[in-house]
Amino acid sequence: MTEHERDDATGSGDQTATPQALPDGGEREGMQDMSLDELREEIESIDRELVELIARRTYVADSVAAVKDEKGLSTTDEDQEQRVMDRAGTNAEQFDVDANLVKAIFRLLIELNKVEQRERR
């Protein structure tokens, strides 16, 4: 990642921003007029939402682990993992996000869930 890309990802760098495409294809009106502090607050809010979603996903994954344990199923389900990875790549493309980055994040989430599942058995 270049310094410019890192600045874009963290909200540091230039004091102005260009409008960002929203998932629905629209542009966030007024974003280019936001101050650096306002943009950083927006990123902070998004980060909280991301953590909340990760917590929810982890809770559901823990429930999946409990069902697997009750049924005597293996911790690893390669077919399911591939479906998750394929879906992550498709979703990334829909939102014009680097599919490799999204898949790497999902791979990490899957591996961490599997470690937790193994430790509980």
Side-chain angles (χ1 to χ4, degrees):
M1 180 180 291
T2 68
E3 184 175 331
H4 179 70
E5 291 168 325
R6 191 170 33 256
D7 284 347
D8 288 347
T10 61
S12 54
D14 282 346
Q15 294 285 332
T16 60
T18 57
Q20 297 297 312
L22 294 175
D24 65 3
E27 288 185 356
R28 187 169 300 217
E29 293 186 26
M31 181 150 302
Q32 68 274 13
D33 296 326
M34 292 174 75
S35 71
L36 180 58
D37 286 341
E38 290 170 326
L39 291 167
R40 286 179 173 162
E41 286 175 17
E42 179 71 11
I43 287 175
E44 184 178 333
S45 175
I46 292 166
D47 289 349
R48 269 192 304 277
E49 291 175 38
L50 286 170
V51 171
E52 180 183 354
L53 291 171
I54 290 169
R56 286 177 49 201
R57 188 184 195 284
T58 300
Y59 175 79
V60 173
D62 288 347
S63 298
V64 168
V67 170
K68 284 180 178 180
D69 194 37
E70 288 173 11
K71 295 186 176 195
L73 299 173
S74 173
T75 300
T76 300
D77 182 343
E78 291 179 10
D79 291 337
Q80 176 61 18
E81 289 177 25
Q82 188 59 52
R83 285 190 294 273
V84 171
M85 297 303 288
D86 291 345
R87 190 172 56 238
T90 299
N91 288 335
E93 290 169 5
Q94 286 180 329
F95 292 103
D96 197 27
V97 177
D98 182 340
N100 290 324
L101 171 64
V102 172
K103 286 180 179 182
I105 292 167
F106 274 83
R107 174 57 53 206
L108 180 60
L109 290 169
I110 289 168
E111 292 304 318
L112 290 172
N113 288 138
K114 289 188 331 189
V115 166
E116 286 184 24
Q117 287 179 31
R118 286 186 194 109
E119 288 176 353
R120 291 186 178 156
R121 288 188 171 200

